[in-house]
């Protein structure tokens, strides 16, 4: 009614009249949503659909030594990408294809994720064949190289989660599961090492349901156990599958199920249908009506619920014995999504941050959008791995980096096969490729310049351990060149200069992580390094609110310095959405401090957080609230307010009952059962809290929470306590308050360094 009345006012009155102004503002606000144009929709052509339907992008992830690289080696052999099979710790001195680094072959572990591609012909039930193109990324299992898994899963459409048939769900399996959930990656599970003594796939299936909390059921059962394992029964299509011939090349399919496993097969097929009925509507309706679902209905339900992240089909096999790998490949093609089936969104940087995200379409004719997810220093300069989400990328095209706004020409476009490359002229959407000579950072988005889209980057965990490092002898330019290269390639590897000791400090995810980089510097850059004692990433925080009123005055010749700040600091919990646990809030009313000085106060607060007064470590978990202050028309400046904030924070920090936090690690120890008391005793002496323990036939697993400071030298102690048979892995959990005696030690050590400096 008001708006209608205001509409009758003359233009002049309209602009002067407060109601008129409110009405025009309201009308402008109402009109605003219509101003944001709907993002253009790009329809997939018949050619796009044909190409994408038969394409899969998958990763192979698991705990250490579950057989990821061995499985990838078999996949490459059966798809014809490699001529021969080589083992991870092979005696033929060749090593697995995907472990191309000398260090990987020596240690028998994967350090860097490696990409490859292959073609697989699936055999349908009616005997017809269908060719699929598969891009594969093999990832490391150690928690130290977790960023490699993180960035691989960020760009993949599906994954194979490999589990050991004896050990089952282990600590790194739960980490990988968390990463898959973070990026919404559908997975099929593969229980490997079915030939090992003590292999029990049904315990593993129940662990997937209970520990990973995802409905799962076996889609196969084994024919023969341990040494006698020779094939599987396909519960979906009701047939027996055997591997025969040299290296299991020949797949023999029989409609006759062996009599000794028939009753188990019927029982497990029923279990599969019951699990599907809980997550899929169609199967649920059939079960309620007491109708048996057909094989095709079961297969369709598995595909629907796997892509919908509601279910994980479990395959069985033994990669090292070349058994049941081909049915797993059929499963990848049958149950994992193609690039057009997952919703991918980007943010349009020309719109406000709150604007809805724009869906991307894998159409070849649409404007290009690609994500650089991994950098590597190759023989021919920087190699950038890229996933193309929309549009096509052609050689010698101009592409734009949406973060920096720079445009670059693509000089060379390749497809990777581990450390070998194949030159190509163009690549379509949904593909993974690599480009040379393009300067960028990990997580940058590239477009063709016609759009301003930016994709979310991957999650980067904080480092937990630091070492002082220096070159042995005279420092050469290669020392800084190597550190800069590793820092650029690996976002979890940090390098900084300690201002007090003037030492170079490297930080990373664990002892092995830093050890590998020191060794790579020696091999690749011929720089022999000496490292100091590992340092733990302690932090400081406050445990109660503390008020401050602080005046900073300094009078010299000419204009002096004057600034007054009032407010309080208080403890702050981590925000689950942003992941931040420090915040600056400005509650000033009435302009007692001019607004142009507020950024300087904020800067002073963040500067004060860099170094605590107790032990010189960074401060976290603090909210700084500015409520009042004062200024001088001549003497106040940005520098004065910054210094006043630092002084006020330090004064309030002393009165806020400050404490030291230490990183707590989740440690998983696996050892033979006879050493259980030794292992648990060893963890107790290191102030460990036993969270969970599980005893299996002849070995046991203990999960404990232990302070990282207590974990140095644990590997040697564990070897001694278990006659070299025990192994452990650890990952960062959180920071917790340190014991008072440790806090006093750290404070005394810090005071001594300050006195020595003076």
């Amino acid at each position: 009614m008001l708006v209608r009345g205001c509409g009758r006012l003359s233009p002049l009155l309209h602009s002067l009249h407060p109601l008129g102004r409110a009405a025009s503002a309201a009308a402008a606000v109402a009109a605003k949503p219509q101003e944001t144009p709907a993002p253009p929709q790009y329809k997939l052509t018949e050619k796009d659909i044909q190409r994408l339907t038969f394409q899969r992008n998958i990763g192979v992830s698991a705990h250490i030594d579950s057989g990821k690289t061995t499985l990838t080696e078999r996949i490459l052999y059966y798809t014809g990408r490699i001529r021969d099979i080589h083992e991870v710790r092979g005696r033929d001195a060749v090593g697995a294809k995907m472990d191309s680094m000398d260090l990987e072959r020596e240690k028998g572990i994967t350090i860097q994720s490696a990409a490859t591609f292959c073609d697989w012909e699936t055999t349908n039930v009616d005997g017809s064949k269908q060719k699929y193109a598969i891009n594969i990324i093999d990832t490391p299992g150690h928690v130290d190289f977790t960023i490699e898994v993180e960035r691989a899963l960020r760009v993949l459409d599906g994954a194979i989660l490999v589990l050991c048939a004896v050990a089952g769900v282990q600590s790194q399996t739960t980490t990988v599961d968390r990463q898959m959930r973070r990026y919404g990656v559908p997975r099929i599970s593969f229980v490997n090492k079915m030939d090992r003594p003590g292999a029990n796939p049904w315990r593993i299936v129940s662990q997937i349901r209970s520990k990973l909390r995802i409905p799962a059921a076996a889609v196969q059962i084994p024919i023969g156990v341990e040494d006698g394992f020779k094939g599987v029964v396909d519960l979906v299509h009701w047939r027996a599958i055997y591997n025969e011939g040299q290296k299991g090349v020949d797949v023999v399919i029989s409609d006759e199920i062996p009599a000794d496993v028939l009753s188990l097969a019927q029982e497990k097929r029923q279990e599969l249908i019951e699990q599907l009925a809980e997550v899929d509507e169609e199967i649920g309706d059939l079960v309620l009506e007491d109708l048996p679902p057909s094989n095709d209905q079961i297969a369709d339900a598995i595909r629907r619920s796997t892509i919908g992240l509601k279910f994980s089909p479990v395959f069985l096999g033994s990669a090292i014995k070349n058994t049941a790998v081909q049915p797993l490949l059929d499963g990848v093609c049958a149950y994992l999504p193609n690039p057009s089936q997952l919703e991918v969104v980007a943010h349009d940087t020309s719109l406000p941050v709150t604007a809805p995200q724009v869906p991307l379409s894998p159409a070849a004719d649409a404007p290009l959008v690609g994500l650089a997810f991994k950098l590597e220093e190759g023989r021919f300069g920087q190699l950038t791995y890229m996933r193309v989400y929309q549009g096509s990328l052609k050689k010698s095209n101009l592409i734009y980096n949406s973060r920096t706004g720079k445009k670059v020409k693509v000089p060379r476009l390749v497809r990777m096969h581990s450390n070998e490359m194949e030159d190509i002229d163009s690549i379509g959407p949904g593909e993974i490729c690599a480009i040379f000579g393009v300067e960028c950072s990990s997580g940058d988005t590239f477009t063709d310049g016609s759009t301003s889209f930016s994709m979310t980057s991957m999650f980067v965990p904080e480092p937990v351990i630091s070492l002082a490092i220096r070159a042995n002898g005279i420092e050469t330019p290669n020392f800084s060149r190597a550190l800069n290269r590793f820092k650029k390639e690996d976002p979890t590897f940090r390098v900084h200069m300690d201002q007090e000791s003037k030492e170079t400090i490297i930080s990373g995810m664990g002892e092995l992580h830093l050890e590998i980089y020191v060794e790579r510097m020696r091999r690749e850059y011929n720089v022999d390094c000496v490292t100091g004692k590992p340092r733990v990433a302690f932090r400081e925080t406050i445990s109660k609110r503390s008020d401050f009123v602080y005046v900073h005055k300094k009078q010299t010749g000419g204009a002096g310095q004057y600034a007054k700040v009032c407010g309080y600091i208080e403890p702050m919990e981590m925000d689950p959405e942003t992941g931040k646990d420090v915040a600056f809030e400005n509650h000033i009313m009435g302009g007692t401090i001019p607004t142009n000085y507020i950024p300087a106060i904020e800067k002073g607060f963040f500067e004060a957080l860099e170094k605590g007064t107790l032990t010189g470590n960074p401060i976290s978990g603090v909210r700084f609230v500015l409520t009042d202050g004062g200024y001088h028309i001549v003497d106040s400046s940005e520098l004065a307010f910054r210094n006043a904030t630092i002084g006020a924070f330090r004064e309030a920090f002393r009165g806020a009952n400050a404490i030291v936090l230490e990183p707590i690690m989740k440690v998983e120890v696996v050892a033979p059962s006879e050493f259980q008391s030794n292992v648990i005793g060893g963890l107790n002496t290191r102030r460990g809290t036993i969270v969970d323990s599980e005893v299996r036939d002849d070995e046991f697993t203990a999960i404990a929470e232990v302070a990282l400071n207590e974990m140095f030298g644990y590997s040697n102690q564990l070897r001694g306590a278990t006659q070299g048979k025990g192994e452990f892995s650890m990952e960062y959990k959180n920071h917790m308050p340190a014991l008072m005696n440790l806090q006093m030690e750290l404070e005394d050590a810090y005071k001594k360094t300050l006195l020595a400096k003076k």
Side-chain angles (χ1 to χ4, degrees):
M1 191 162 164
L2 281 172
V3 176
R4 199 167 64 237
C6 297
R8 293 203 191 98
L9 295 169
S10 71
L12 180 64
L13 275 173
H14 193 284
S15 61
L16 296 174
H17 195 285
L19 281 179
R21 204 159 56 237
S24 57
V29 169
K32 241 181 192 170
Q34 291 155 8
E35 284 170 24
T36 309
Q41 297 290 324
Y42 297 98
K43 288 274 185 285
L44 294 179
T45 62
E46 201 61 45
K47 194 176 171 188
D48 286 334
I49 294 167
Q50 181 65 26
R51 187 177 56 81
L52 291 167
T53 306
F54 302 113
Q55 192 184 327
R56 300 286 179 270
N57 295 317
I58 60 162
V60 184
S61 305
H63 186 80
I64 311 147
D65 287 343
S66 295
K68 297 176 293 298
T69 307
T70 309
L71 173 65
T72 313
E73 188 80 358
R74 300 309 186 273
I75 290 173
L76 294 178
Y77 179 68
Y78 295 136
T79 55
R81 284 297 292 160
I82 54 176
R83 292 221 182 106
D84 220 342
I85 292 177
H86 296 287
E87 298 311 336
V88 170
R89 276 202 179 96
R91 293 194 181 89
D92 55 5
V94 177
K97 178 72 199 171
M98 301 304 272
D99 286 350
S100 56
M101 236 195 276
D102 291 343
L103 257 174
E104 293 181 314
R105 292 180 175 181
E106 273 172 38
K107 290 184 178 281
I109 60 170
T110 304
I111 293 169
Q112 288 187 330
S113 54
T116 185
F117 61 97
C118 57
D119 293 327
W120 174 245
E121 262 194 350
T122 61
T123 308
N124 300 327
V125 184
D126 57 6
S128 62
K129 291 193 180 293
Q130 188 62 60
K131 197 171 185 181
Y132 284 82
I134 306 175
N135 285 309
I136 304 170
I137 297 183
D138 176 35
T139 62
H142 288 75
V143 71
D144 298 47
F145 312 115
T146 188
I147 189 69
E148 293 288 336
V149 188
E150 199 77 47
R151 53 184 166 199
L153 291 176
R154 168 68 186 85
V155 296
L156 293 170
D157 304 323
I160 301 173
L161 180 64
V162 184
L163 300 114
C164 170
V166 179
V169 173
Q170 292 164 278
S171 62
Q172 193 57 16
T173 319
T174 54
T175 307
V176 170
D177 169 68
R178 203 164 50 241
Q179 290 166 327
M180 287 179 182
R181 286 173 194 274
R182 184 179 292 136
Y183 301 116
V185 178
R187 93 280 294 265
I188 59 178
S189 307
F190 180 64
V191 178
N192 192 18
K193 305 193 179 184
M194 283 297 295
D195 57 307
R196 267 185 68 179
N200 181 352
W202 315 122
R203 190 173 58 80
I204 314 302
V205 172
S206 71
Q207 277 188 347
I208 294 172
R209 289 177 199 153
S210 60
K211 291 189 177 178
L212 303 184
R213 296 191 302 284
I214 182 165
V219 291
Q220 298 172 336
I221 65 159
I223 299 173
V225 289
E226 295 174 8
D227 286 350
F229 178 62
K230 57 177 189 257
V232 291
V233 174
D234 180 349
L235 299 177
V236 178
H237 298 294
W238 204 247
R239 54 192 183 168
I241 303 170
Y242 303 92
N243 284 79
E244 290 178 4
Q246 191 192 7
K247 294 181 182 165
V249 173
D250 303 322
V251 180
V252 179
I253 296 173
S254 161
D255 289 335
E256 195 179 320
I257 311 291
D260 54 341
V261 294
L262 185 60
S263 63
L264 177 67
Q266 287 164 340
E267 179 198 323
K268 291 298 173 187
R269 179 173 161 113
Q270 190 55 40
E271 187 183 305
L272 169 65
I273 293 168
E274 284 166 12
Q275 283 286 326
L276 282 172
E278 289 178 21
V279 292
D280 186 78
E281 217 170 287
E282 190 184 321
I283 299 289
D285 292 345
L286 289 170
V287 167
L288 288 173
E289 292 167 18
D290 272 349
L291 295 171
S294 68
N295 295 354
D296 289 342
Q297 282 174 324
I298 294 175
D300 292 344
I302 294 174
R303 182 173 174 77
R304 274 195 304 273
S305 43
T306 304
I307 294 171
L309 307 176
K310 298 183 211 156
F311 179 78
S312 174
V314 182
F315 289 78
L316 318 172
S318 169
I320 198 95
K321 290 279 187 279
N322 311 316
T323 310
V325 175
Q326 294 96 325
L328 172 70
L329 276 170
D330 288 346
V332 165
C333 300
Y335 304 134
L336 287 181
N338 69 51
S340 66
Q341 285 177 309
L342 289 183
E343 191 186 341
V344 180
V345 290
H347 177 66
D348 191 340
T349 51
S350 62
L351 299 176
V353 182
T354 52
Q357 293 197 313
V358 182
L360 298 182
S361 160
D365 302 332
L368 170 76
V369 179
L371 181 74
F373 66 95
K374 178 176 155 74
L375 311 177
E376 216 175 81
E377 197 70 36
R379 295 192 299 274
F380 311 105
Q382 183 177 300
L383 181 66
T384 307
Y385 285 78
M386 189 188 281
R387 162 79 196 259
V388 180
Y389 282 99
Q390 178 177 287
S392 304
L393 180 63
K394 295 185 176 70
K395 191 175 160 183
S396 68
N397 258 16
L398 278 177
I399 56 173
Y400 290 76
N401 183 331
S402 61
R403 181 179 60 87
T404 60
K406 287 182 181 170
K407 65 174 179 180
V408 282
K409 194 176 182 181
V410 181
R412 189 177 172 197
L413 190 61
V414 294
R415 285 183 80 173
M416 299 303 295
H417 178 43
S418 186
N419 59 337
E420 296 168 13
M421 49 196 76
E422 182 184 301
D423 278 281
I424 48 172
D425 290 326
S426 71
I427 199 142
E431 291 276 8
I432 291 169
C433 64
I435 49 180
F436 272 107
V438 174
E439 275 300 308
C440 67
S441 297
S442 192
D444 281 358
T445 306
F446 285 94
T447 65
D448 59 0
S450 64
T451 58
S452 50
F453 291 159
S454 175
M455 302 190 73
T456 52
S457 190
M458 66 277 309
F459 169 79
V460 178
E462 285 299 312
V464 293
I465 190 169
S466 304
L467 285 176
I469 185 171
R470 61 181 172 82
N472 196 359
I474 301 165
E475 191 174 305
T476 62
N478 275 359
F479 178 75
S480 56
R481 198 175 292 149
L483 289 178
N484 285 337
R485 173 197 158 184
F486 297 148
K487 191 169 110 180
K488 195 171 181 185
E489 284 181 10
D490 182 352
T492 56
F493 179 74
R494 314 273 171 91
V495 183
H496 74 276
M497 186 73 131
D498 189 303
Q499 293 305 321
E500 284 167 17
S501 62
K502 297 286 180 268
E503 289 177 309
T504 304
I505 308 292
I506 55 172
S507 313
M509 299 306 295
E511 283 180 274
L512 178 68
H513 189 201
L514 299 180
E515 191 186 300
I516 292 286
Y517 277 125
V518 171
E519 181 63 19
R520 281 183 66 187
M521 285 174 80
R522 193 175 65 75
R523 291 182 183 210
E524 294 171 29
Y525 287 90
N526 207 11
V527 176
D528 198 16
C529 294
V530 180
T531 55
K533 183 181 176 292
R535 301 179 182 189
V536 177
F538 289 105
R539 289 184 198 161
E540 296 178 25
T541 191
I542 58 174
S543 52
K544 69 173 189 181
R545 174 177 158 154
S546 174
D547 295 340
F548 59 83
V549 176
Y550 190 86
V551 180
H552 173 71
K553 270 185 191 170
K554 198 171 182 185
Q555 198 60 49
T556 52
Q561 288 184 19
Y562 178 86
K564 180 183 178 185
V565 286
C566 310
Y568 59 89
I569 60 172
E570 62 180 5
M572 178 181 171
E573 292 290 318
M574 183 180 279
D575 185 337
E577 281 182 19
T578 60
K580 290 185 176 164
D581 59 357
V582 288
F584 172 83
E585 290 179 12
N586 174 20
H587 289 181
I588 283 188
M589 296 287 193
T592 49
I593 297 177
T595 49
N596 54 324
Y597 292 140
I598 301 296
I601 296 173
E602 187 172 355
K603 199 173 177 187
F605 164 59
F606 284 108
E607 201 174 303
L609 290 177
E610 287 170 14
K611 199 162 218 176
T613 52
L614 295 178
T615 59
N617 283 301
I619 299 169
S620 61
V622 180
R623 181 185 282 109
F624 183 100
V625 181
L626 184 66
T627 57
D628 201 2
Y631 73 103
H632 186 277
I633 200 144
V634 175
D635 290 354
S636 286
S637 64
E638 288 192 357
L639 177 68
F641 273 103
R642 200 174 88 200
N643 290 342
T645 310
I646 294 171
F649 181 80
R650 289 195 176 141
E651 188 180 272
F653 190 73
R654 280 195 286 274
N657 207 357
I659 51 172
V660 174
L661 301 175
E662 62 178 345
I664 303 294
M665 310 300 281
K666 183 180 170 192
V667 180
E668 180 176 300
V669 186
V670 180
S673 300
E674 67 258 32
F675 302 114
Q676 186 173 4
S677 57
N678 295 9
V679 169
I680 287 176
L683 288 169
N684 287 335
T685 57
R686 291 174 180 264
R687 296 196 292 115
T689 310
I690 308 292
V691 180
D692 187 17
S693 66
E694 182 189 1
V695 180
R696 293 191 292 275
D697 306 335
D698 51 356
E699 65 176 12
F700 83 101
T701 304
I703 295 172
E705 288 173 9
V706 193
L708 176 62
N709 202 34
E710 305 286 338
M711 285 302 292
F712 294 123
Y714 181 63
S715 53
N716 292 340
Q717 187 206 333
L718 182 66
R719 277 191 207 119
T722 60
Q723 298 172 9
K725 295 173 186 170
E727 57 180 49
F728 81 101
S729 62
M730 64 177 182
E731 62 173 315
Y732 169 72
K733 185 173 181 285
N734 58 0
H735 269 73
M736 295 288 279
L739 292 178
M740 214 57 223
N741 62 335
L742 175 63
Q743 183 165 330
M744 302 292 271
E745 274 174 40
L746 292 167
E747 285 181 41
D748 291 345
Y750 182 57
K751 277 175 192 158
K752 279 177 191 164
T753 60
L754 291 179
L755 287 169
K757 220 172 117 187
K758 280 178 186 171

